[in-house]
């Protein structure tokens, strides 16, 4: 099978490509390298079953593929807010191009949507039926509303044109290969503790998130893609932690002497987030297997290798 992975040079995309290549699939990786890097896919460059295309999905492209995993979109608030209009274009125009491609070549289309479609939720934990509470004019809306439109487009191409879709809503995912300057909380705290800098907790740290290790997430992707269910489906680890708890955990793990400091809470920062994964359990028999402590150890090792490697 020839499989297109948009955003394949990014954090999750490159782990997905590793799994697909190990299965013996032919993989086409498409990326504009905004937040992705060639280093993430370097080991496949000389493999005849791997192809890399530098392309921006806001421009159309013609390819022949059997499946499309559509992940291209910056995921960290810092990066998606840097050029919000571009983020909307990527989510709306880019997703439309990829759905048009899927329609033309009759490929199965998988959308990497997000828990952000629930906004700052007033239902807890979040089930797929919950319709969300998103501020449509706030600083996160280029991403949240962009992904909501991407879901709408997917379901409309499905109803109107018979495109075979799969939609997942990803909850906070972490692991090796996140960028050192990614700006999301797990990588920030790990990099700060390793560099002996203060860990920056935004607000009072009482807001919660649920953190999924990347290999668990990728397993869920592949199971949904190859199932008969279209979604939407939550994928995430239901273990819920306050941000202060996470800071203390990483502090204890890396550098008990590191300071924890408090910075202003960004606008529209969701207060709590935990996936209800009943649907994934029932439909796919999927649930996460890597507890936070183990996933953090693996992630810290990767950052330590990179940061200490750079010093030499
Ligand atoms: P990432 O930033 O590491 O990866 C995104 C990739 O898309 C990068 O390689 C980037 O260069 C590429 N890209 C961005 N805009 C593009 C464009 N216009 N054209 C072509 N390529 C483009 O982020 P990630 O964490 O790997 O996230 C991957 C996907 O999963 C994203 O769609 C994101 O919204 C979704 N997601 C991630 C999380 C998470 O916790 N990591 C949570 C929810 C949803
Ligand atoms: N956060 C923090 N310190 C940081 C980075 C993030 O306290 O250095 C907080 C942020 O305000 C949010 C949570 O951690 O409440 C998760 O932030 P992230 O950007 O990782 O993801 P998202 O807000 O999109 O879930």
């Amino acid at each position: 099978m020839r499989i297109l992975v948009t955003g394949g040079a990014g954090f999750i995309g490159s782990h997905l490509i590793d799994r697909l290549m190990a299965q013996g699939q032919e993989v086409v990786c498409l990326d504009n390298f905004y937040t992705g890097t060639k280093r993430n896919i370097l080991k496949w460059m000389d493999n005849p079953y791997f192809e890399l295309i530098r392309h921006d999905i806001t421009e159309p492209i013609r390819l022949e593929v059997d499946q499309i995993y559509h992940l291209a979109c910056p995921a960290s608030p810092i990066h998606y807010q840097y050029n919000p209009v571009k983020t909307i274009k990527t989510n709306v125009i880019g997703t439309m191009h990829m759905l048009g491609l899927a329609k033309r070549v009759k490929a199965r289309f998988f959308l990497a949507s997000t828990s952000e479609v629930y906004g700052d939720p007033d239902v807890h934990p979040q089930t797929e039926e919950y319709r969300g509470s998103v501020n449509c004019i706030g600083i996160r809306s280029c991403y949240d509303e962009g992904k909501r439109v991407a879901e709408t487009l997917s379901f409309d191409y499905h109803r109107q044109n018979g495109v075979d879709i799969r939609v997942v809503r990803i909850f906070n995912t972490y692991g090796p290969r996140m960028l050192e300057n990614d700006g999301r909380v797990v990588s920030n705290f790990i990099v700060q503790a390793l560099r002996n800098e203060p860990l920056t907790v935004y607000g009072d740290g009482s807001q919660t998130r649920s953190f999924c290790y990347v290999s668990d997430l990728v397993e869920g992707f592949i199971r949904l893609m190859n199932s008969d269910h279209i979604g939407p489906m939550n994928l995430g680890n239901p273990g819920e932690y306050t941000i202060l708890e996470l800071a203390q955990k990483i502090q204890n793990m890396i550098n008990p002497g590191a300071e924890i400091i408090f910075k202003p809470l960004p606008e529209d920062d969701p207060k709590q987030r935990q996936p209800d994964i009943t649907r994934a359990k029932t439909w796919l028999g999927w649930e996460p297997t890597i507890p936070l402590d183990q996933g953090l150890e693996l992630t810290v090792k990767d950052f330590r290798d990179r940061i200490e490697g750079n010093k030499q």
Side-chain angles (χ1 to χ4, degrees):
M1 200 142 40
R2 190 176 306 141
I3 303 178
L4 172 65
V5 180
T6 77
F11 159 53
I12 298 174
S14 64
H15 284 279
L16 173 64
I17 287 177
D18 289 351
R19 280 290 301 274
L20 296 173
M21 289 299 292
Q23 284 182 349
Q25 312 284 5
E26 199 175 324
V27 173
V28 180
C29 168
L30 185 157
D31 209 294
N32 70 350
F33 300 114
Y34 173 45
T35 49
T37 114
K38 279 190 192 164
R39 190 183 57 232
N40 288 341
I41 41 167
L42 205 56
K43 64 169 170 292
W44 303 118
M45 292 296 213
D46 292 329
N47 189 304
Y49 296 103
F50 178 79
E51 233 172 299
L52 173 63
I53 302 174
R54 178 192 284 266
H55 179 79
D56 192 307
I57 54 159
T58 58
E59 301 293 335
I61 187 166
R62 290 172 81 88
L63 297 166
E64 315 303 320
V65 293
D66 304 299
Q67 291 188 339
I68 301 170
Y69 284 91
H70 177 42
L71 278 69
C73 175
S76 160
I78 290 188
H79 297 294
Y80 73 63
Q81 286 165 18
Y82 175 73
N83 185 344
V85 173
K86 175 71 193 220
T87 301
I88 298 175
K89 286 183 183 170
T90 295
N91 276 316
V92 179
I93 301 172
T95 301
M96 211 148 49
H97 287 149
M98 291 304 114
L99 280 160
L101 172 63
K103 174 184 158 190
R104 183 175 64 81
V105 301
K106 298 192 170 46
R108 186 171 284 181
F109 175 87
F110 175 106
L111 176 70
S113 183
T114 170
S115 55
E116 295 281 329
V117 298
Y118 302 125
D120 189 2
D122 16 56
V123 166
H124 194 75
Q126 293 79 55
T127 63
E128 290 87 351
E129 281 83 25
Y130 177 53
R131 293 194 183 167
S133 162
V134 173
N135 174 2
C136 68
I137 56 169
I139 55 170
R140 294 174 82 99
S141 55
C142 59
Y143 183 77
D144 302 4
E145 296 288 12
K147 289 283 185 182
R148 287 171 70 98
V149 173
E151 289 199 14
T152 307
L153 281 168
S154 302
F155 277 83
D156 279 337
Y157 268 81
H158 174 64
R159 284 185 288 255
Q160 189 179 334
N161 303 112
V163 173
D164 190 15
I165 58 162
R166 303 287 181 272
V167 175
V168 291
R169 294 179 179 156
I170 305 166
F171 284 66
N172 299 60
T173 298
Y174 69 98
R177 298 187 194 153
M178 296 184 86
L179 294 177
E180 284 162 45
N181 67 351
D182 179 276
R184 281 175 283 184
V185 68
V186 173
S187 46
N188 268 11
F189 287 169
I190 292 178
V191 169
Q192 288 161 344
L194 286 172
R195 292 193 175 137
N196 207 17
E197 292 166 3
L199 278 63
T200 52
V201 169
Y202 300 161
D204 62 6
S206 62
Q207 70 274 33
T208 67
R209 293 293 185 275
S210 305
F211 300 100
C212 184
Y213 189 68
V214 64
S215 61
D216 281 332
L217 183 80
V218 166
E219 175 65 30
F221 277 20
I222 290 175
R223 285 198 200 186
L224 180 68
M225 183 60 132
N226 297 297
S227 79
D228 293 329
H229 299 283
I230 66 172
M233 180 184 282
N234 289 341
L235 288 181
N237 190 323
E240 185 182 356
Y241 297 84
T242 68
I243 294 303
L244 186 57
E245 279 170 344
L246 179 76
Q248 286 161 342
K249 202 180 249 308
I250 293 175
Q251 177 194 41
N252 287 334
M253 199 174 266
I254 301 178
N255 184 351
E259 199 188 343
I260 293 181
I261 59 169
F262 295 88
K263 294 213 161 177
L265 189 67
E267 211 180 295
D268 289 338
D269 200 279
K271 279 182 274 313
Q272 51 180 6
R273 197 182 280 152
Q274 189 202 112
D276 180 316
I277 58 164
T278 310
R279 202 173 265 192
K281 277 187 183 164
T282 319
W283 289 359
L284 307 179
W286 177 89
E287 63 184 317
T289 59
I290 311 274
L292 184 59
D293 285 296
Q294 188 187 346
L296 285 177
E297 294 284 358
L298 295 165
T299 311
V300 169
K301 183 184 176 320
D302 174 67
F303 275 104
R304 205 186 281 280
D305 290 348
R306 275 188 278 160
I307 288 173
E308 290 173 3
N310 287 344
K311 276 191 208 145
Q312 287 159 11

